[in-house]
Structures are given as C-alpha cells and as structure tokens.
DNA sequence: TTTGAAATTACAACTGT
DNA sequence: ACAGTTGTAATTTCAAA
C-alpha cells in the first residue's frame, strides 16, 4: 500500500535535494554534486520519475506578481462526510490545497486571491458546496517561508 | 514596493501555466503551446525569471516515498511578537511552511514527519522557541490535492 | 548499475525585420 | 517584440564491463 515502492537511498535523496534547489542544472553538474557521472545521474533520476518519487518538474512563482497576493487558510466545517468532495473544492481555482483533517468533520483549504473582497467571494462559494455548514478564515499577514519537502 | 514590477500579460500567464505543468518540455514545444516561436518563448521565460515572477525550477516529490507521510498544521501561540522568529522556525527541518497570521499573536506552520511520534517531537521543539506559549496541532487524514498557484 | 562515447536534440546568442 | 539562423552545449541512447 502507499506509493513507497522500492528504496530511496542516500544518493537518491541527494539528487532530489539538488533538483529541488535547481532542476535546470545539467546532469553533468548534478552528477558531480553527488559523486556520479552524467549518465548515472540521468538513469537514477529517470527511475525516480518512473517510480513516482519525483512527480513532476515545475516552476515556483511569485503569487503577488500573478495577482494572488492575499493568502488565507480556511477551516470548512461540514454537517456530512466530505470524503468525496474533492471535485467540489478543485472547481474553485483560488483553492491551492485542500485536506481532510482529524477532529471534527472538516476540510482545511489554502486560498490565494488578489484582494480580501475576492477572499470573501471564495468563502461565499464554499457555502454552496453540499454539506458545508461553516467557515473560519485565517488571513496570513506575512509568510516566513515556503520550501520543498526535506529530502535528506 | 512589492515584487510586482512590470506587467504579466496573457501570454506570460499561459507560459507559466505550461511550465507549472511540465518544466522539462523544450522551448519549441512550449512556444507552440502558446503560439510563439522557440526563441520568443525562451526570451519571455528568461525575462520572467529575471523579474522574479518565476522564482525557480524545481521538482515535486511524493512525501511518503521520502518518509514524510504524516502531515499536520500547527497553530503556534505566542506571548510576544514573533515578527523576527523566521530563523527559529526555519531551523526545524520538518517545518515546510511558516506564516504569521492575523488575529492572536500566532504563527501557522505546516509540518511533515514520518510518524506521529516525530510530530510530537516537533511540537516539543517548537516550545523551545522563545515566546512560544502553546500549540494546537491538526493532523491531516487525507490530502484532496496540492497544486501550483493558478496563473490564469 | 555505472561508465564512456556517439548521435540527436535543445539551448542561447545574434541578426534582421 | 518576434522569427530565423547558427555555434555551442546538453540530453539520451547504446555498447561494454
């Protein structure tokens, strides 16, 4: 069960850490950083992708530059089981993450909007999801940091 | 003030959306997807990087495969101003994100550990940060989705 | 599984429009 | 600001250990 098929050794972890830092670097550079030839580094990274350890190569953007300067976390209380409400939350583009949480029957969502007015509008739309009985929004004043999952 | 220097037009947004989906694709492919030549696409992406709109190219990993299968959000209450406690939180490797939030003097952190025992240990270490007076941990049972910031 | 080399392909800079 | 060209550099495949 789970995705954890196969073993991720220390070299794999070092490769992943390097790729998290900069996925544009050449395999020769990458290999040198972990003590491997370019070809060997290429092979291991390919396998990490095949096995799903590396899910994708992507870019990190500045949310403010894209008009998503307001960040908030919203607790969504519900009167029913929300286990298969994925699509309902995914349909709201401003929602970046959605998690089912322990405790009360709730979903925790991470929301990014341009303004607080738009945040309010997202809350309104959350109430249209079946089973949703309440929301508690927490607005972020300053982000200390957001970083990749530690690989080592 | 802010990072939002210059304009991000619709073509830039389309480029970013494509790169978020797959940053390994060639500039020729990327250009075709948005109706640009390879060189023009390359030019615009370079400028987006220079301006800091694109912060870095990185890889998304499966947390479980790296032994970070337990996800929790922790509200950290404090008796003092936490405005310059960045380093204290950054020093805890299991903390993936840390944000100052409105309302009470608090920090919201996103934590990933292998086990709930390790989560407990992180909570213990949080209490060693000066000014921290309490924590409320919320464990995630299931993640619906985690996706990039919407570019369009 | 790694290395090393060869063929393919993409990158990155320049020029012209 | 975009397209086309070109030299340079990287990727990717393959044979061999």
């Amino acid at each position: 069960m789970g995705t954890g098929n196969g073993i991720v050794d220390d070299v794999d972890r070092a490769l992943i850490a390097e790729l998290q830092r900069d996925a544009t670097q050449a395999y020769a550079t990458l290999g040198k950083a972990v003590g491997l030839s370019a070809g060997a580094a290429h092979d291991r990274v390919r396998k990490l992708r095949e096995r799903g350890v590396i899910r994708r190569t992507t870019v990190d953007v500045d949310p403010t530059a894209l008009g998503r300067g307001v960040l908030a976390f919203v607790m969504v209380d519900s009167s029913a089981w929300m286990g298969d409400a994925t699509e309902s939350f995914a349909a709201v583009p401003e929602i970046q993450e959605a998690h089912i949480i322990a405790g009360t029957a709730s979903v925790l969502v991470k929301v990014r909007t341009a303004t607080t007015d738009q945040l309010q509008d997202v809350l309104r739309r959350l109430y249209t999801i079946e089973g949703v009985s309440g929301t508690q929004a927490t607005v972020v004043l300053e982000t200390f940091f957001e970083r990749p999952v530690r690989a080592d």
Side-chain angles (χ1 to χ4, degrees), chain A:
Chain A
M1 212 189 260
T3 322
N5 248 6
I7 307 164
V8 179
D9 66 16
D10 288 349
V11 178
D12 289 331
R13 289 177 184 274
L15 284 169
I16 290 168
E18 272 299 315
L19 287 173
Q20 285 176 328
R21 203 175 55 74
D22 179 14
T24 68
Q25 63 188 305
Y27 283 110
T29 315
L30 186 61
K32 194 173 290 179
V34 305
L36 245 53
S37 77
H42 181 257
D43 245 43
R44 294 186 81 123
V45 172
R46 182 181 52 74
K47 281 171 190 160
L48 286 169
R49 287 188 211 274
E50 279 173 7
R51 287 160 54 196
V53 177
I54 295 176
R55 289 176 166 160
R56 67 171 160 185
T57 304
T58 186
V59 289
D60 277 0
V61 301
D62 174 12
T64 304
L66 294 179
R68 293 267 142 82
V70 175
L71 172 60
F73 289 89
V74 184
M75 287 282 202
V76 182
D77 298 318
S78 66
S79 54
W81 170 236
M82 295 263 89
D84 36 32
T86 312
E87 299 308 323
S88 304
F89 288 96
V92 184
E94 292 88 348
I95 299 181
Q96 200 188 344
E97 300 179 19
H99 312 270
I100 299 194
I101 60 179
T104 68
S106 301
V107 176
L108 176 60
V109 302
K110 185 179 180 182
V111 178
R112 286 189 193 272
T113 57
T115 64
T116 49
D117 274 8
Q118 282 183 25
L119 173 58
Q120 203 170 5
D121 192 59
V122 169
L123 297 181
R124 187 186 56 71
R125 274 178 278 158
L126 284 174
Y127 276 104
T128 69
I129 296 175
E130 184 151 315
V132 169
S133 59
T135 62
Q136 300 151 250
T138 302
V139 177
V140 169
L141 298 179
E142 185 195 342
T143 292
F144 278 156
F145 58 83
E146 292 179 291
R147 60 191 182 191
V149 178
R150 272 290 277 256
D152 55 355

